[in-house]
Amino acid sequence: QVQLVESGGGLVQAGESLRLSCAASGSIFSINAMGWYRQAPGKERELVATITGVNTNYAESVKGRFTISRAKTTVYLQMNSLKVEDTAVYLCYAEVKRIGYSLYIPYWGKGALVTVSS
């Protein structure tokens, strides 16, 4: 099995910063892409940022404020200049090839709540 565990969520004021981490563990042979999605109450899940090798991709709404990075099986999301509209549950995902398997399969964490107050 593969587990993704997020940490670093919390309550901050608008303009402040927060750093999320997501550690993957288990029977991992290799990881392709990793990234972050978010889901606000009453809204659909949306992509925040992804990283594949040295390539990164960001939602327009977070460009210039958020930075995604990765170290082996852990992915980070540095969030600066947070806005009230960034409030959401942030979910980590990873495309994982398990030991003994040939395909990359997406796995998801349970999410970390980020609340930004005005």
Side-chain angles (χ1 to χ4, degrees):
Q1 289 292 343
V2 174
Q3 298 84 36
L4 273 64
V5 179
E6 300 100 334
S7 61
L11 171 64
V12 296
Q13 291 190 328
E16 294 184 340
S17 299
L18 209 56
R19 188 190 195 209
L20 300 180
S21 301
C22 172
S25 62
S27 56
I28 298 170
F29 179 76
S30 67
I31 298 177
N32 188 21
M34 298 188 81
W36 295 91
Y37 280 69
R38 67 185 180 187
Q39 188 162 18
K43 295 188 177 181
E44 293 187 353
R45 185 176 298 184
E46 64 173 355
L47 180 144
V48 177
T50 61
I51 183 167
T52 307
V54 298
N55 297 312
T56 58
N57 180 49
Y58 295 93
E60 285 296 325
S61 60
V62 306
K63 279 184 180 178
R65 300 188 298 122
F66 290 12
T67 302
I68 189 170
S69 60
R70 175 182 166 183
K72 296 184 179 179
T73 57
T74 300
V75 64
Y76 305 94
L77 187 68
Q78 178 66 42
M79 303 183 292
N80 298 330
S81 303
L82 281 161
K83 303 177 181 180
V84 172
E85 51 264 41
D86 293 320
T87 295
V89 173
Y90 284 71
L91 300 117
C92 166
Y93 93 100
E95 296 175 355
V96 177
K97 182 187 289 186
R98 292 177 57 189
I99 296 171
Y101 292 77
S102 60
L103 297 178
Y104 284 95
I105 297 174
Y107 287 86
W108 292 88
K110 293 183 178 181
L113 178 61
V114 173
T115 304
V116 184
S117 63
S118 59

